[in-house]
Amino acid sequence: MLQGWIQIALTLLIVVAITPFFGRYMARVFMGQRTILDSVLNPMERILFSLGGVRAREEMTGWQYARAVLYSNLAMLVFIYLIFMFQGVLPFNPTGLSAPSWDLALHTAISFVTNTNQQHYSGETTYSYFSQFAALGFMMFTSAATGIAVAIAFIRGLTGRPLGNFYVDLIQSITRILLPISIVGAIVLIAAGIPETLASPAIVPTLENPGVSQAIARGPVAHFEIIKELGENGGGFFGINSAHPFENPNGFTNLIELVAMLSIPTSMVITYGIFANNLKQAWLVFSIPFAILVVFIVITAIGEYQGNPAVNALLAGQAPNLEGKEVRFGWAQSALFAVFTTATMCGAVNSLHDSFMPNGGFVTLSNMFLQIVFGGQGTGTAYLFAYLILAVFVTGLMVGRTPEFLGRKIEKREVVLASFLILLVHPIAILIPAAITLAFPEQLAGISNPGFHGLSQVIYEYASAAANNGSGFEGLGDGTLWWNLSTSFSLLAGRYIPIVALLLLADSMSRKQPVPATAGTLRTDTGLFTGVTAGVILILGALTFFPALALGPVAEAFQIVKGIG
């Protein structure tokens, strides 16, 4: 037990240790200051800007930035969809895979362009090497970079700066952040035992019967794996994702993947603090999702360590819940990975979330409902500050002070956009399609478990899509026309409506004249206000989604207790 908790604590310490350094580096990149990579990347970026017709010094308004996001993402969506549909005649297809069904190809394309990577397929039997690295791998960089660019534009607007140029931010997010780390990370993962090859599957005799051969899938996995975690993509090269020994063979690679997941979203808060010239507030804001993260890890880990009471009764003793888990990771690393991957909206898995105790189901769902612990790639930071704006408004009303944030008044437009973003879009994208699906369990749902757990499976699938997470409770027959199209709605609504709202909110804040601080100004860089913000986050999340949690993992927990009573 102690060893497991030490592993968890050390991982968290590593994440906290790298956060200020990486946060400062990203701030220097997007503030146009000198960095160590300038001599190599400046000429490369000038070529890319020239080829793309990008005017690096041209600023965009909120609407212009949003249109650039939508147009570019639409073009990439069409591009990768065509790759999927023509993969049968494209190169690097050693097993001769044909095109998938149109609805699966559409769902996959939407899923990867939205940085969700929700998979209704097994990669090794559905998509060729070319589709994996030219379409899916390409989108892992561009979709993650899109999220970073939107977050940077939001931070600029929040701190009174022009929003910038989307195409410049997109390119620099790839060239200066994602690509350098991915190159180094891929080399490390190759050295740690992850394959990187274009060779066809290996044919080997089985141990049980040497006369019988078995095909072992492999491919260009290492470079795919690092951007999967760093970009909070989560889509696995293989069907079982990071539980596969070729994606995550040992404790060292597991640690790299865990740290990669959290490195950008945690550091982005510090990047905000440098833009705002207020690191004190940045660390206070950082403490909100970090505290929730630690509590969620403890809740999940305790549930997995204590195990299933029904099984313990049969064993006449306590045993960890190892159902659906790899022995090489055990209860501690499986619980930590599950919390990290749903907290960051990464979606990669090294164990089966469907097999977790109700504690784990409650936490993983809560992470995707809240979206700020630490949330999606870049956008999680923006969500966090949208909550902060709502907290300023609510607190200002309670104490009779002018609601201001960073010296700019919070007025009707900002409150409407923040409320729309947090209170309406996310619940609609989850609860409405889930209600329709649950109304027709035999025709649409494909639930493998009855009762409360089956309800959690359905809610989880739509929450994963709307939060751009991509992980699954599994157990659903989700490779159908209904699931492919209905989750595509949640994918698109959960990604692009909030992005447009965030950019309009940032644009509105950037146009406001700063107001000098007075005795009546509500300070937002205090411990008291940080606590109020945490309360607003938890209350709004509980009011919106607690009925779903009560009918799912909470009810299942009572059912388990009752079963052994």
Side-chain angles (χ1 to χ4, degrees):
M1 176 182 181
L2 181 60
Q3 182 184 24
W5 289 111
I6 291 174
Q7 292 172 356
I8 291 171
L10 287 176
T11 304
L12 290 172
L13 285 174
I14 292 172
V15 169
V16 173
I18 67 173
T19 291
F21 301 103
F22 197 14
R24 287 189 174 90
Y25 171 74
M26 288 195 292
R28 293 185 67 85
V29 167
F30 293 111
M31 294 176 81
Q33 298 174 359
R34 184 171 178 80
T35 67
I36 192 172
L37 299 176
D38 281 356
S39 59
V40 176
L41 295 179
N42 281 343
M44 181 192 303
E45 289 171 354
R46 281 195 292 269
I47 294 172
L48 292 174
F49 293 155
S50 178
L51 291 174
V54 177
R55 298 176 181 175
R57 297 185 182 277
E58 184 177 286
E59 302 287 351
M60 292 181 172
T61 66
W63 275 116
Q64 289 172 332
Y65 207 102
R67 285 198 298 269
V69 171
L70 297 176
Y71 293 160
S72 63
N73 279 224
L74 178 61
M76 289 185 281
L77 173 66
V78 173
F79 170 70
I80 66 172
Y81 181 77
L82 291 175
I83 290 179
F84 296 153
M85 298 310 293
F86 289 99
Q87 78 170 4
V89 297
L90 292 172
F92 302 111
N93 187 3
T95 54
L97 294 170
S98 59
S101 65
W102 71 268
D103 55 296
L104 177 60
L106 179 63
H107 174 270
T108 305
I110 292 173
S111 181
F112 276 75
V113 83
T114 56
N115 196 231
T116 309
N117 299 24
Q118 189 176 55
Q119 296 176 287
H120 290 171
Y121 64 89
S122 291
E124 64 267 45
T125 59
T126 306
Y127 290 112
S128 66
Y129 290 171
F130 189 81
S131 294
Q132 293 260 42
F133 67 71
L136 304 183
F138 165 71
M139 287 311 308
M140 284 184 172
F141 281 95
T142 55
S143 64
T146 297
I148 294 172
V150 169
I152 291 299
F154 184 81
I155 290 172
R156 288 192 186 116
L158 212 59
T159 54
R161 295 173 171 84
L163 270 60
N165 186 301
F166 168 69
Y167 299 108
V168 174
D169 294 337
L170 178 76
I171 290 171
Q172 290 190 332
S173 295
I174 296 173
T175 58
R176 294 176 179 268
I177 297 171
L178 298 175
L179 190 58
I181 299 175
S182 294
I183 291 173
V184 175
I187 293 171
V188 173
L189 291 180
I190 291 171
I194 295 180
E196 180 74 18
T197 178
L198 293 175
S200 58
I203 307 300
V204 298
T206 63
L207 293 175
E208 292 182 352
N209 187 347
V212 177
S213 296
Q214 178 182 1
I216 299 178
R218 52 185 175 175
V221 184
H223 85 278
F224 198 90
E225 191 68 19
I226 186 63
I227 188 58
K228 179 184 90 174
E229 315 296 355
L230 180 67
E232 291 181 37
N233 294 284
F237 194 93
F238 302 103
I240 60 172
N241 210 281
S242 288
H244 197 291
F246 284 176
E247 288 200 32
N248 190 9
N250 50 57
F252 176 67
T253 58
N254 196 66
L255 175 63
I256 292 175
E257 294 183 20
L258 285 168
V259 173
M261 275 187 223
L262 271 176
S263 58
I264 292 177
T266 55
S267 302
M268 191 68 75
V269 181
I270 305 305
T271 300
Y272 155 80
I274 295 172
F275 267 86
N277 196 29
N278 193 339
L279 280 174
K280 176 186 176 183
Q281 184 185 51
W283 280 111
L284 286 170
V285 172
F286 175 91
S287 70
I288 299 173
F290 188 77
I292 298 173
L293 178 73
V294 171
V295 171
F296 280 175
I297 290 170
V298 171
I299 292 172
T300 306
I302 287 176
E304 298 312 300
Y305 176 75
Q306 290 179 340
N308 191 322
V311 174
N312 290 343
L314 294 174
L315 296 175
Q318 181 180 315
N321 174 32
L322 295 179
E323 179 191 358
K325 297 176 179 63
E326 294 295 311
V327 176
R328 66 184 185 276
F329 301 133
W331 64 271
Q333 291 300 307
S334 297
L336 185 63
F337 206 103
V339 178
F340 270 30
T341 196
T342 51
T344 61
M345 305 306 140
C346 175
V349 294
N350 74 350
S351 57
L352 185 64
H353 290 188
D354 185 59
S355 68
F356 274 61
M357 297 302 295
N359 307 44
F362 180 93
V363 166
T364 52
L365 279 168
S366 296
N367 274 331
M368 293 186 293
F369 290 156
L370 293 176
Q371 295 195 93
I372 54 90
V373 191
F374 281 81
Q377 185 70 289
T379 55
T381 305
Y383 274 112
L384 182 58
F385 284 97
Y387 270 114
L388 211 67
I389 288 172
L390 286 180
V392 168
F393 180 74
V394 171
T395 308
L397 290 178
M398 289 192 297
V399 301
R401 293 189 178 184
T402 304
E404 297 172 6
F405 185 68
L406 298 180
R408 290 166 177 81
K409 289 186 178 181
I410 306 299
E411 298 176 301
K412 178 183 176 182
R413 178 179 172 82
E414 292 74 46
V415 174
V416 168
L417 285 170
S419 301
F420 175 74
L421 173 71
I422 291 169
L423 300 178
L424 290 178
V425 176
H426 197 49
I428 287 173
I430 297 172
L431 300 178
I432 290 179
I436 296 171
T437 303
L438 290 167
F440 302 94
E442 295 181 1
Q443 295 87 348
L444 300 178
I447 299 172
S448 62
N449 286 281
F452 305 122
H453 196 83
L455 184 143
S456 294
Q457 287 179 328
V458 172
I459 296 292
Y460 193 106
E461 188 75 4
Y462 287 111
S464 175
N468 301 138
N469 178 266
S471 67
F473 236 42
E474 302 310 336
L476 290 174
D478 55 17
T480 64
L481 180 66
W482 167 255
W483 279 111
N484 287 333
L485 296 185
S486 63
T487 51
S488 292
F489 160 77
S490 298
L491 290 166
L492 292 169
R495 175 70 165 180
Y496 294 111
I497 296 176
I499 279 179
V500 172
L502 286 170
L503 290 170
L504 294 180
L505 177 57
D507 191 50
S508 177
M509 292 293 289
S510 71
R511 296 176 186 276
K512 291 181 178 294
Q513 292 297 320
V515 179
T518 66
T521 300
L522 177 65
R523 292 185 61 85
T524 58
D525 57 353
T526 65
L528 177 61
F529 181 77
T530 302
V532 171
T533 303
V536 169
I537 291 171
L538 295 175
I539 289 171
L540 291 179
L543 288 176
T544 306
F545 290 108
F546 187 75
L549 293 170
L551 291 173
V554 173
E556 185 183 0
F558 281 110
Q559 189 178 48
I560 290 175
V561 172
K562 182 180 178 181
I564 64 168

